[in-house]
Amino acid sequence: MSGNTQKAPCSMDIAAEKREQLRLCLAAAFPEIMGEDKIDLDQLRRVLGEWVEPDRERFGLTWPGKAACMKVIQAPSVGTLKPCRKESVDWDTTENVFIEGDNLEVLKLLQKAYFGKIKVIYIDPPYNTGKEFIYPDKYAETLDTYLEYTGQKDNEGRRFSTNTDASGRFHSRWLNMMYPRLYLAKNLLRDDGAIFISIDDNERANLKLVCDMIFGEENFLSNIVWQKRYTRSNNTTDFTEVVEHVLVYGKSPAFSVNLLPRTEEADARYSNPDNDPRGVWKGASFLNPATPQERPNLAYPLVNPNTGESTLPTRSAWRRSKEAFDELQRDGKLYWGSDGKSPVPTIKMFLSEARGLTPVNFWEHEYAGHTDEGTRDLEKLIQGKVFDNPKPVRLLQRVLEHGGDDSGIILDFFAGSGVTAQAVFSQNIQDGGTRKFVLVQLPEPTENSDYPTIADIARERIRSASKQIAAEMEDRLDLDKAKKPDIGFRAFKLDRSNFRSWDGDVTEDEQLAAQLELHIDHVATESSAEDILYELLLKDGFPLAVPIKTLGLAGKEVFSIASGALLICLDKHLTQEVIDAMADLEPSRVICLDAGFQGNDQLKANAVQTFKARARNRETAIEFRTV
């Protein structure tokens, strides 16, 4: 008998086919559940809100607290973002936003309004260097902790968690801080969006693995090395650190990096030795790195049309197929040497057809600035040293050039001194773009009495940059005043919700009675109409910079949003007249305060019927609800 055996043909493995179909579907929607190209079912359960025992976690980066991060992500925020007109610039016309608050809570609040709308995220999170950072990572820390920390709740002065190399679980605490924020941030990116993350060597490897889980390893684009310093320091013990990293991930394969403008140096490589009327060109090799044995379809006889000589490939196959060769020859795009006798031609690549330059993953300080430049950028706007090691504006402009378009929204939820806002202003001035920014910064205390928190520094920087640009524009006679760039911002602060929440743990009769009494009118008495308005807008999915028009209808104030698509009336004394006036405008949605009906069930029932009747007349539903 022969020693060789042949397996009989097998029928299709239905289970394997089903697993592959499931893997493809889930990998597209939930790349964070994939590990070693397999589905991590425990991670899928976490994503869907089911608890999984930590000891069941499988291959991949793991750390104490990782499983609990999903509970943090899925816990809803009970906060809101309250408008601060006095701290803003050009409130009524600007589309830029600055938010003071804990970025985890803020990212949760932004989910509905900004889901899939951000083109570029840039963050410069706290580096895990052994010095403390105060972003919270304990799961007991909530909005109340933030309010206590910022002095908005009581006088306890509670500190957020810190992380030093003297505290246990040094890397774990940093990862517990980063993971939920990156997870929520991914939801906000457009399909063609990308995230750029500045990091040093201490956590670069861990950050890469975390981003592989969240964004998908296949969406990793680059580890850009940025030359942050241009001199060595002999005061260091080991190596002088002159570079940092910028990790880049796309949201999906729909993202493509922008090509850069061509340079004189690049164009100088083109010439025209044969006086081709199509202009200068550069030669590309006709040889393939593969051998003829590896690519037999690219190993045909190559005939020089001038000499008739035929050449077969030896060590390298040809780069183009026989059909492509014939087409290039017909189009006069092959160069056979100065005497026309070369056995192998060069392919002509014309400058007129050349694309932009491909970016590289090493950004020299001449190209993207350095830390000294970053300090000077800030000192031009705010005198004195108020912030350590700010990133240079040029670094952020490179991020915008590589990853953005000329009109998208840029999100930075570790805003620091506000350099991202200044970079957006500068880039829009430079190329005429209309980019918008959303910045978030924790009010971390400083030792500067003029700027008590880092959020204060960021707001002042943005205001100063705005004033500087406005002054420069006044001096430019050639500037079209009608095309004035947006150099303002709307300021908001994280706070508790304007609507009292129901306490489900109340058991005593007296406490229950107090709860019921509070919910007769569940709107906080200290909340302004504008506070309530912006909370409703966020919850209804409208961005914070949405245009709002105030109308006077039947003696009541009514807010018109998105050209009348949504009408909101927060008056606490509603009338049938104002209901009719709103219905006459034929909006898609109407929101009123439940307290506005003052217990008048008949008026509320009439309102419902009024909007239903108008909807029947125009065959389009009008959604009416109370809060």
Side-chain angles (χ1 to χ4, degrees):
M1 293 179 63
S2 169
N4 297 327
T5 60
Q6 185 175 1
K7 293 183 179 180
C10 297
S11 62
M12 184 180 74
D13 187 335
I14 297 177
E17 182 69 17
K18 292 291 186 184
R19 286 196 299 270
E20 177 62 13
Q21 292 175 3
L22 179 62
R23 186 190 69 81
L24 292 174
C25 292
L26 291 176
F30 308 109
E32 65 269 30
I33 72 170
M34 305 305 296
E36 292 187 309
D37 208 31
K38 296 180 181 178
I39 301 168
D40 185 338
L41 295 178
D42 286 342
Q43 180 64 4
L44 176 59
R45 292 189 184 99
R46 293 188 198 99
V47 170
L48 299 177
E50 299 179 18
W51 176 254
V52 177
E53 292 297 327
D55 59 2
R56 292 185 61 190
E57 293 174 346
R58 299 193 178 109
F59 173 81
L61 178 63
T62 188
W63 65 89
K66 176 185 175 183
C69 281
M70 294 307 300
K71 297 183 71 176
V72 175
I73 291 166
Q74 291 158 355
S77 174
V78 293
T80 188
L81 301 177
K82 292 193 174 181
C84 305
R85 279 182 177 264
K86 291 183 179 179
E87 297 185 3
S88 307
V89 176
D90 298 334
W91 176 279
D92 292 324
T93 57
T94 185
E95 296 185 67
N96 299 312
V97 173
F98 179 88
I99 303 167
E100 175 185 304
D102 167 30
N103 54 18
L104 181 60
E105 289 291 319
V106 173
L107 286 169
K108 290 181 180 181
L109 291 172
L110 298 182
Q111 289 296 300
K112 189 171 184 180
Y114 289 88
F115 188 91
K117 294 181 180 178
I118 304 297
K119 174 58 177 171
V120 172
I121 297 175
Y122 170 80
I123 56 172
D124 183 15
Y127 294 172
N128 205 6
T129 60
K131 300 178 181 179
E132 67 179 30
F133 62 82
I134 65 170
Y135 282 87
D137 62 18
K138 288 184 181 177
Y139 308 116
E141 290 176 336
T142 61
L143 179 66
D144 285 340
T145 310
Y146 167 78
L147 295 174
E148 291 168 1
Y149 167 75
T150 56
Q152 299 178 60
K153 185 176 180 184
D154 56 29
N155 296 320
E156 290 184 21
R158 181 181 297 182
R159 284 179 62 81
F160 272 0
S161 297
T162 62
N163 189 60
T164 70
D165 53 10
S167 63
R169 297 180 173 176
F170 175 59
H171 294 289
S172 299
R173 290 165 66 88
W174 190 85
L175 290 169
N176 286 333
M177 183 272 292
M178 289 296 296
Y179 186 90
R181 290 163 173 80
L182 291 172
Y183 190 100
L184 292 169
K186 178 194 172 186
N187 295 337
L188 304 181
L189 280 173
R190 289 167 23 181
D191 283 344
D192 64 343
I195 184 169
F196 292 69
I197 309 173
S198 283
I199 195 66
D200 66 355
D201 285 325
N202 289 293
E203 294 289 356
R204 184 195 62 80
N206 288 333
L207 179 62
K208 171 70 167 60
L209 293 173
V210 167
C211 288
D212 284 347
M213 288 192 298
I214 294 174
F215 296 94
E217 188 174 0
E218 69 279 7
N219 290 317
F220 169 71
L221 297 171
S222 184
N223 170 26
I224 297 170
V225 178
W226 169 52
Q227 187 184 14
K228 67 175 183 177
R229 297 183 60 177
Y230 53 90
T231 58
R232 79 175 67 238
S233 170
N234 271 340
N235 296 325
T236 55
T237 304
D238 299 311
F239 293 89
T240 298
E241 292 185 359
V242 297
V243 300
E244 285 184 5
H245 306 269
V246 181
L247 293 184
V248 187
Y249 281 79
K251 169 71 175 291
S252 76
F255 172 81
S256 59
V257 68
N258 296 328
L259 299 178
L260 303 180
R262 299 194 61 82
T263 64
E264 291 184 5
E265 179 184 1
D267 291 350
R269 299 177 186 142
Y270 289 76
S271 61
N272 195 357
D274 60 349
N275 296 316
D276 193 305
R278 290 167 288 189
V280 295
W281 53 271
K282 181 175 66 173
S285 174
F286 203 80
L287 298 178
N288 197 312
T291 65
Q293 291 74 27
E294 293 169 330
R295 298 297 303 273
N297 61 314
L298 299 178
Y300 53 88
L302 197 64
V303 178
N304 183 319
N306 302 315
T307 63
E309 294 182 358
S310 178
T311 303
L312 282 170
T314 54
R315 285 182 290 185
S316 296
W318 308 134
R319 186 173 293 274
R320 304 291 182 91
S321 66
K322 179 64 167 61
E323 294 76 12
F325 165 78
D326 291 338
E327 183 176 354
L328 289 169
Q329 183 61 38
R330 286 195 302 270
D331 293 344
K333 291 186 175 181
L334 295 179
Y335 181 65
W336 297 91
S338 56
D339 59 359
K341 297 180 179 180
S342 175
V344 179
T346 295
I347 303 172
K348 291 183 179 183
M349 310 295 290
F350 291 95
L351 178 58
S352 59
E353 300 173 353
R355 66 178 199 160
L357 301 180
T358 303
V360 298
N361 65 352
F362 177 58
W363 291 2
E364 298 175 275
H365 69 86
E366 296 95 342
Y367 177 70
H370 46 76
T371 52
D372 290 345
E373 181 179 315
T375 299
R376 291 196 297 269
D377 288 341
L378 181 55
E379 288 179 345
K380 290 176 183 177
L381 300 174
I382 303 177
Q383 292 186 349
K385 189 173 178 60
V386 297
F387 190 87
D388 293 332
N389 304 315
K391 293 294 189 288
V393 174
R394 275 202 295 164
L395 175 67
L396 271 297
Q397 286 188 262
R398 296 307 183 198
V399 168
L400 299 180
E401 289 174 349
H402 286 65
D405 55 25
D406 62 1
S407 62
I409 303 174
I410 316 302
L411 171 65
D412 181 350
F413 52 89
F414 286 100
S417 70
V419 62
T420 299
Q422 186 179 351
V424 169
F425 287 164
S426 298
Q427 194 63 27
N428 284 343
I429 293 291
Q430 183 174 311
D431 62 16
T434 56
R435 302 168 187 83
K436 283 78 68 175
F437 64 75
V438 176
L439 268 59
V440 186
Q441 177 56 43
L442 185 75
E444 182 179 346
T446 69
E447 297 179 358
N448 189 311
S449 59
D450 294 328
Y451 308 104
T453 71
I454 292 178
D456 291 320
I457 294 171
R459 277 189 296 264
E460 180 59 25
R461 177 178 194 158
I462 304 171
R463 281 191 289 262
S464 297
S466 177
K467 291 177 183 176
Q468 184 184 74
I469 293 171
E472 292 172 353
M473 289 193 301
E474 286 296 324
D475 294 336
R476 287 180 56 184
L477 299 177
D478 63 324
L479 188 67
D480 185 350
K481 305 301 181 184
K483 296 181 179 179
K484 177 185 175 183
D486 183 355
I487 51 175
F489 69 97
R490 291 184 178 183
F492 293 83
K493 288 186 181 180
L494 177 67
D495 205 335
R496 65 175 71 256
S497 173
N498 299 289
F499 301 94
R500 301 185 183 97
S501 59
W502 177 263
D503 187 353
D505 295 329
V506 168
T507 56
E508 298 292 334
D509 290 344
E510 291 183 3
Q511 293 176 327
L512 180 59
Q515 278 275 298
L516 291 171
E517 184 70 24
L518 282 174
H519 280 77
I520 293 173
D521 181 1
H522 63 295
V523 179
T525 55
E526 66 273 14
S527 298
S528 69
E530 195 166 53
D531 293 339
I532 300 168
L533 171 65
Y534 276 94
E535 179 164 355
L536 293 176
L537 290 177
L538 267 180
K539 289 179 177 177
D540 262 50
F542 287 91
L544 293 166
V546 64
I548 301 171
K549 187 177 181 180
T550 304
L551 308 176
L553 299 180
K556 306 296 182 181
E557 184 179 60
V558 176
F559 300 102
S560 173
I561 292 89
S563 301
L566 169 64
L567 297 180
I568 298 178
C569 183
L570 303 175
D571 196 283
K572 292 193 175 182
H573 301 278
L574 294 172
T575 64
Q576 185 62 48
E577 289 73 22
V578 74
I579 297 295
D580 290 338
M582 287 191 289
D584 287 341
L585 296 178
E586 298 188 345
S588 298
R589 284 182 282 173
V590 176
I591 301 175
C592 296
L593 291 179
D594 194 61
F597 292 95
Q598 297 287 303
N600 188 338
D601 293 339
Q602 182 62 46
L603 178 60
K604 190 172 184 179
N606 288 342
V608 172
Q609 293 304 317
T610 297
F611 290 114
K612 280 186 177 179
R614 297 301 172 91
R616 284 195 296 270
N617 291 339
R618 67 173 191 171
E619 298 182 353
T620 303
I622 298 177
E623 179 189 337
F624 169 65
R625 63 187 177 92
T626 60
V627 292

